[in-house]
Amino acid sequence: MRGFLFLFLVVNIVFSQKNINEFELLNTISNQICQSSKKDFFCKAFKFYKEKKYDSCYVYSSRALFLVDSQDEKDILNYIQGGSALKKNIFKKASENFSQISDTSSFKSLKLLQLGVLNLNIKKYKTAIEYYSKWERDSLLTKKSLRLRAYRNFGICYMHIKDFEKAKKYFDKEFSLINTIDTLSIIKAKMDLANVYYEQYLDDEAIPLFKESYDLAKLFSDIEMKQFTSQNMAVIEKNRKSYKESVAYYTEFNKWKDSLNNRDRIWELTEKDKQLAVAQKQQEIAVQDEKLKRQKVQRDGLIIGASGLLIFLGGLGFFYKKLQSQNKLITKQKEALNTANKTKDYLFSVVSHDLRSPINTIKNQHVELKEHIANNNLPAIQEVNNKAIAVTESTSHLLNNVLHWSLEQSNQLLFNPQEIALRPTIEHVLYDYRMLVEANNIIIDADLENALINADKESIKIVLRNVLDNAVKYGGKEILVTTGVSSNDYAFIKIKDSGVGVPAEKLKKINSLTNLSIDKIDRSEGVGLGVILCHTLVKKNKGILTFASEPNNGTEVTIELPNTPV
Amino acid sequence: MNKLRLLLLEDLDKEANALITVLQENNYEVIRVRNAEEAEKELKNRFFDIIILDIMIDGKPEGIALAERMIKQEVNIPFLFLTSMQSKAIFEQAKFTNPFSYLLKPHNELELLYALELAIETHFKQENSISFNKNSAVLSPEFLFVKKRKSVVKIEVPAINYIEVQEKYCSLQCDEGSYLIKMSLKKIIELLSNNDFKQVHRNFLVNIKKIKEIYFEDNLIILDSRDKIPFSERYKASFRRDNPIFN
């Protein structure tokens, strides 16, 4: 019989929620009190009651009860506090509250109803019946819907005390009040009535009612009703031993139960689906985000890598360039060093070969002189002395060349090109040859036309001395020096001797020395430092040095230098 | 003609003596000093025509320092450096003492004498005159430097009779001879800035102290040296105004 009891409880709850209609009177009075006396607690308690905040209502109404002025106010407060207590199943307190409501109050019937519900709830069915009986005397004051609930509860009370007669009477009363449109109430009422019959084993009365309620429920939309009615039918058929029908009803019952579950499950499933879809979407979004993030990281990495590579390449290029320039410098320095080394070697060989022999000669001459002095041989002394002077002269000349050469090579030679007069310069050089000419019985003729040249005087003098020395050494007895202007741009100095001349092959070599540096010269070829020095210095003065010779017809050296027109 | 007086700054006796011998043989008067201090004392006492400076005195480049001081004090005397220094650094330092002429050791007699000529030329900014052409001269406000054989002598400016333009040159006539200067007459007048020299013709500048007779009508001036100078109309008026004595 579980199914039936379950249904009663549901009805009980529905009743307590539906007593709002009676409340209108109470409501009006409360509003009046609230507006006229401005009682804070009262207003709040009432407000909370209306809003069904029963906890707050209970607290405020108990506070308000300490401050009550009028009977109405007290009755209302007791009513709402009782109602709240009832809601919270504090039945003892609720009972106290309702009892304190005065019998003279305008909602006495409400009080009785509440007490009835209360007692029904605490299973004091007889007390409940007392209250309902008291209420029934003035039941016409109560609204139809409340009356319907009240009759029903009345009926339930009688059912509990197994007074089926009375129960049927009240259920019939209830049934008579039900509006024909209210199918749900009809089904419930019919089920209640059927229950009453069934409990009394009046199967013939009960079964058609159950069947009726079942048929109604079948047409009605409420699945719960369908479930209950089919369950009832199944139980009835089982009790009638018509198991086949019972099974059919159970099947139906299960179907409705399932469909109810299904409904819940479908809803749950769709919810779940929704959640799943959302979750999937979120996951997709997360994946997409992750992808984007990864792409960004990848891109950033690429950019960083590329720029790093660029920087690295730039650095590499820079260092490479630096290294290259360093290498260039090193190569240059190496070349310079090579030249310097060759020059040094050359100078050493000059010192060791060309310097040793004249020094030996001078030493021997001195020994000779000593002998002649011992013999008092004056003419011989003079002769040896002259020779000694000549050797010393040529040696000193060689030394000068070495000095000038090394100065020139190390870029320390004074070089100060300016306008100089040609004739005095040559005269000055020739002046130094007076002694030599005298000693060697040589004639030097000079036919000098004066000209202004742009040159460094000292370097020109060095060249002239070298050429003249050579002429004196190899050139025979007559030397002619001439100067003049050869063109607008050049003045010339020609030094011609009457010596044996230079072989053509050697001449070619000498003339080709213009562009040679010292490291390219083979000492064994007999080309001396003097010629190279001459070439270098003339070139430095932007001049031209040429050697011309015919065998046995002497050599002619021409020095051409930039001319400044006077 | 007068000898030139030289101041020689040289710390080494042997070299100094050799130089003095050569210079005196060539008609120069030489006063030798051993250091810059003595040199400056001498410069205050006497007038010198040329100063010969050895660069290194007692191991220091005092010669250059002295030259720099002289330039600062505007001592208007030509000088030349005498040096065995073939070092560039010293040379460059000496070069800044403009006008600059130098003589490298060892040198022969000719080179020394030539260097003196150059020193005078460069000092009076008349390069390539006496060193280039023996008939040339170097003109200063007080003296005329001319070549006499291998040496240079000076003639006092008042000894010049007249100056005549000859093409690119000007010929300076003295009793001792005539000398060429490569300079315009206008420049010479500026250089001399001497009131005794009056222009009487486009091409003639006459030393009025040497005038013997003037024939205004004949446009002729006769000098003590019997030279006949043409007198141009253009210059007569100003000549008369400035020299009333001749009227």
Side-chain angles (χ1 to χ4, degrees), chain A residues 321-476:
Chain A
K321 217 171 181 183
K322 209 172 165 185
L323 199 73
Q324 220 175 19
S325 72
Q326 259 174 357
N327 276 345
K328 228 184 217 169
L329 191 75
I330 287 168
T331 318
K332 232 183 199 171
Q333 280 173 338
K334 199 183 157 197
E335 269 170 29
L337 204 67
N338 254 342
T339 314
N341 216 15
K342 284 271 168 65
T343 311
K344 184 205 77 188
D345 289 348
Y346 185 85
L347 292 179
F348 274 145
S349 85
V350 167
V351 170
S352 55
H353 292 98
D354 299 15
L355 216 52
R356 257 174 64 180
S357 61
I359 294 293
N360 266 333
T361 316
I362 291 167
K363 185 187 149 200
N364 290 336
Q365 279 168 338
H366 278 88
V367 172
E368 214 180 315
L369 267 179
K370 204 175 173 184
E371 272 173 37
H372 289 314
I373 289 165
N375 297 336
N376 228 346
N377 186 350
L378 206 58
I381 292 172
Q382 240 164 8
E383 196 191 323
V384 175
N385 194 23
N386 275 343
K387 277 184 190 163
I389 288 169
V391 173
T392 315
E393 197 78 40
S394 88
T395 312
S396 121
H397 165 72
L398 175 72
L399 273 176
N400 274 336
N401 274 354
V402 170
L403 173 70
H404 291 138
W405 174 255
S406 43
L407 281 175
E408 205 280 326
Q409 287 295 298
S410 56
N411 206 20
Q412 279 181 14
L413 189 71
L414 277 183
F415 197 82
N416 184 33
Q418 59 188 82
E419 270 183 16
I420 55 169
L422 198 51
R423 188 168 60 196
T425 311
I426 292 168
E427 279 172 349
H428 299 162
V429 176
L430 291 178
Y431 190 80
D432 288 331
Y433 285 85
R434 283 171 310 156
M435 303 279 279
L436 205 67
V437 165
E438 207 179 297
N440 292 298
N441 293 321
I442 297 171
I443 301 161
I444 299 182
D445 279 332
D447 178 11
L448 307 174
E449 188 194 330
N450 208 354
L452 273 183
I453 56 167
N454 200 343
D456 170 59
K457 194 169 162 185
E458 295 307 317
S459 60
I460 296 304
K461 279 181 180 175
I462 292 166
V463 175
L464 280 172
R465 276 190 211 115
N466 268 293
V467 175
L468 282 168
D469 280 343
N470 262 343
V472 169
K473 213 164 165 185
Y474 308 108

Side-chain angles (χ1 to χ4, degrees), chain A residues 289-303:
Chain A
D289 276 353
E290 189 65 28
K291 242 186 213 168
L292 276 175
K293 221 187 251 172
R294 209 171 298 159
Q295 268 176 354
K296 205 184 158 201
V297 165
Q298 225 168 12
R299 199 189 53 204
D300 285 356
L302 215 68
I303 288 168

Side-chain angles (χ1 to χ4, degrees), chain B residues 9-239:
Chain B
L9 173 62
E10 172 61 82
D11 56 336
L12 301 171
D13 286 343
K14 204 181 165 190
E15 287 193 26
N17 288 337
L19 275 169
I20 291 166
T21 310
V22 172
L23 290 170
Q24 281 176 346
E25 270 174 20
N26 285 287
N27 228 359
Y28 289 104
E29 187 187 340
V30 184
I31 309 292
R32 184 228 170 173
V33 288
R34 288 185 167 76
N35 54 48
E37 209 177 303
E38 280 181 44
E40 275 167 313
K41 209 186 272 173
E42 281 295 335
L43 281 168
K44 270 176 204 158
N45 293 340
R46 275 186 271 200
F47 175 81
F48 290 95
D49 292 295
I50 304 174
I51 304 165
I52 301 172
L53 299 168
D54 189 5
I55 288 181
M56 298 304 274
I57 300 294
D58 302 325
K60 283 171 278 179
E62 263 186 50
I64 296 173
L66 180 61
E68 281 166 354
R69 280 205 293 280
M70 287 197 301
I71 290 165
K72 228 179 208 171
Q73 292 162 18
E74 293 178 349
V75 175
N76 194 19
I77 301 170
F79 56 84
L80 77 94
F81 291 111
L82 199 61
T83 179
S84 55
M85 302 297 302
Q86 271 188 318
S87 144
K88 252 190 176 171
I90 296 282
F91 182 84
E92 293 296 333
Q93 203 184 335
K95 214 172 160 181
F96 284 112
T97 59
N98 250 341
F100 168 65
S101 53
Y102 67 99
L103 179 63
L104 285 177
K105 293 177 190 173
H107 49 81
N108 62 37
E109 189 186 324
L110 285 185
E111 284 171 323
L112 174 62
L113 298 175
Y114 185 69
L116 290 174
E117 291 168 22
L118 288 181
I120 288 171
E121 278 181 0
T122 48
H123 183 75
F124 293 108
K125 299 188 173 64
Q126 293 169 42
E127 284 88 352
N128 299 316
S129 49
I130 47 175
S131 70
F132 195 75
N133 188 331
K134 64 183 176 196
N135 293 323
S136 286
V138 171
L139 185 65
S140 82
E142 288 99 26
F143 298 108
L144 186 64
F145 297 93
V146 299
K147 279 281 283 284
K148 190 184 176 188
R149 285 196 300 280
K150 287 190 272 181
S151 53
V152 179
V153 292
K154 61 182 178 183
I155 297 167
E156 288 176 346
V157 163
I160 298 167
N161 293 334
Y162 68 95
I163 298 166
E164 184 190 351
V165 177
Q166 283 178 358
E167 291 170 20
K168 289 196 279 182
Y169 297 89
C170 279
S171 164
L172 280 73
Q173 300 291 335
C174 307
D175 290 338
E176 291 88 349
S178 70
Y179 306 97
L180 291 176
I181 290 178
K182 197 181 177 180
M183 209 185 273
S184 69
L185 196 61
K186 206 180 152 196
K187 277 262 174 69
I188 289 178
I189 293 166
E190 262 175 44
L191 177 70
L192 289 173
S193 53
N194 188 329
N195 280 329
D196 285 349
F197 286 86
K198 291 290 173 195
Q199 191 161 12
V200 295
H201 186 269
R202 190 162 57 90
N203 289 335
F204 286 93
L205 191 68
V206 168
N207 182 352
I208 53 171
K209 295 271 168 65
K210 300 280 188 173
I211 294 173
K212 194 183 176 192
E213 290 164 60
I214 298 176
Y215 298 99
F216 287 110
E217 296 79 20
D218 298 331
N219 299 328
L220 194 68
I221 297 171
I222 294 175
L223 302 182
D224 292 335
S225 59
R226 292 177 198 279
D227 289 308
K228 288 175 183 137
I229 311 295
F231 203 166
S232 140
E233 285 290 340
R234 248 175 89 191
Y235 298 97
K236 268 183 195 167
S238 67
F239 185 88

Side-chain angles (χ1 to χ4, degrees), chain A residues 508-517 521 531-532 534-540 543-547:
Chain A
K508 203 178 158 192
K509 204 162 272 169
I510 290 169
N511 274 327
S512 70
L513 284 175
T514 323
N515 294 316
L516 275 191
S517 57
I521 288 152
V531 180
I532 298 158
C534 286
H535 270 301
T536 312
L537 291 179
V538 170
K539 207 174 157 192
K540 206 169 178 182
I544 304 158
L545 178 68
T546 44
F547 293 81

